[in-house]
Amino acid sequence: MKAITQQTVGGPEVLVLSEVDRPSPLPTEVLVQVHAAGVNPVDWKTRAGGGMSGVLGAPPFILGWDVSGVVEEVGFGVTTLKPGDEVYGMPWFPRAASAYAEYVTAPSRQFALKPASLSHVEAAALPLAVLTAWQALVDTAHVEAGQRVLVHAAAGGVGHLAVQIAKARGAHVIGTASAGKHGFLRSIGADEVVDYRTTRFEDVVSDVDVVLDLVGGDNAIRSVRTLRRGGLLVAVPSGLLEGVAEAAEEAGVRSTPFLVEPDGAALTEIAALVDAGRIRVEIEAVLPLADAGKAHELGETGRSTGKIVLSVAG
């Protein structure tokens, strides 16, 4: 089968279209023909030697965790899926899922039936980003109706889904983004928007129950000032950097690092929200599998609205 491999860490040019052996499913696993694979910041960070490179080990390896495709074969013991099912998922994370390929294998319960209203390209844009938003806001922060939620980088891949999930749970949602993306954020439910380029968000935002920090750096410490006593800061990109937990404790608020994990059951709940029109995914660009390097170049500009997807089959 065709796959994007890399033999060394480095820039986008290390991503090469190659021929590799097709995997076979073990008991409780499924073989999925990949129709599309999502591209995420962790992908290009790992390619360059950061991200999950410590988990994957030294190259060679195949990047990618977001998958949408069709079940081709099931291993012994699989009861939830059958050949022909259209599925999506984020298998194995943070171990290698090798999604930049024509086929992947993974435990069946790390997949879910894809939203019926979405194409494979649209569905492939969801898993890692939407599970990050869901597990941070629903499972970790337990966002409820009437709460105030601040989402940083709100127009990005995780951010625009977090805005919609918080809104679906009845929260008042505030998002930070450049001015050109404010219209988009309001169209997906943001109640307030702040231009981080011209305004220090901590000067205009206060009494927040939950902050979802998708930026990192000193953004987390600055976010502490926006929280009401007992509020929660969820730090995604690099965990709680030095001084953040201390600043939070001093301010009487809570803080926690976060890492997403596979969750087929949550993807089933999310698919229902998507098909009900309560969550939509924004796609910045779709490129063929062979152009994975170009997809990384685009993503690394940091200016994308929504997600980047590789079209693999179909």
Side-chain angles (χ1 to χ4, degrees):
M1 69 173 184
K2 290 182 172 60
I4 297 294
T5 63
Q6 66 177 91
Q7 301 299 316
T8 182
V9 298
E13 71 280 356
V14 304
L15 300 177
V16 178
L17 186 65
S18 308
E19 284 286 339
V20 302
D21 292 337
R22 195 179 86 167
S24 297
L26 296 173
T28 74
E29 293 184 350
V30 292
L31 172 70
V32 174
Q33 182 185 21
V34 180
H35 283 234
V39 177
N40 295 286
V42 68
D43 298 7
W44 56 77
K45 291 175 183 177
T46 303
R47 183 212 72 225
M52 293 301 150
S53 60
V55 176
L56 270 57
F61 50 67
I62 299 170
L63 285 173
W65 284 276
D66 275 343
V67 172
S68 184
V70 178
V71 175
E72 182 154 312
E73 184 182 344
V74 301
F76 176 78
V78 173
T79 59
T80 57
L81 298 172
K82 64 184 184 303
D85 283 344
E86 295 186 314
V87 297
Y88 76 137
M90 183 201 70
W92 294 118
F93 190 85
R95 295 175 183 266
S98 303
Y100 291 7
E102 292 181 314
Y103 291 89
V104 298
T105 55
S108 62
R109 292 176 187 266
Q110 293 186 0
F111 291 101
L113 296 177
K114 81 169 182 63
S117 59
L118 298 187
S119 67
H120 283 294
V121 165
E122 293 167 323
L126 278 172
L128 192 148
V130 80
L131 284 175
T132 298
W134 183 272
Q135 291 172 9
L137 295 176
V138 179
D139 298 340
T140 302
H142 307 292
V143 169
E144 299 176 349
Q147 289 188 320
R148 289 167 57 82
V149 176
L150 171 61
V151 179
H152 289 301
V158 175
H160 84 290
L161 297 167
V163 167
Q164 295 173 80
I165 289 169
K167 196 65 183 174
R169 296 182 70 80
H172 179 94
V173 184
I174 307 158
T176 63
S178 58
K181 298 177 180 179
H182 286 190
F184 166 68
L185 287 177
R186 292 190 185 281
S187 77
I188 60 172
D191 298 288
E192 299 179 46
V193 287
V194 178
D195 183 355
Y196 68 90
R197 291 177 174 173
T198 62
T199 306
R200 291 182 63 83
F201 63 82
E202 65 270 36
D203 292 340
V204 295
V205 179
S206 61
D207 293 323
V208 170
D209 295 282
V210 178
V211 175
L212 181 59
D213 180 23
L214 302 168
V215 175
D218 71 346
N219 210 66
I221 288 183
R222 293 168 57 200
S223 294
V224 166
R225 305 172 202 165
T226 70
L227 285 160
R228 60 179 50 160
R229 288 191 67 84
L232 176 64
L233 166 67
V234 183
V236 175
S238 51
L240 292 174
L241 298 180
E242 184 177 356
V244 176
E246 292 81 358
E249 184 176 1
E250 185 176 329
V253 303
R254 297 168 294 145
S255 60
T256 183
F258 177 87
L259 186 65
V260 68
E261 59 184 306
D263 191 344
L267 287 175
T268 297
E269 290 189 60
I270 290 163
L273 288 172
V274 171
D275 287 337
R278 302 186 72 183
I279 296 176
R280 68 180 175 93
V281 60
E282 184 76 9
I283 295 178
E284 172 78 14
V286 181
L287 293 88
L289 180 64
D291 287 345
K294 292 180 181 178
H296 280 215
E297 288 177 1
L298 176 60
E300 286 180 294
T301 66
R303 294 193 292 269
S304 299
T305 299
K307 296 294 299 294
I308 302 166
V309 179
L310 298 173
S311 178
V312 182

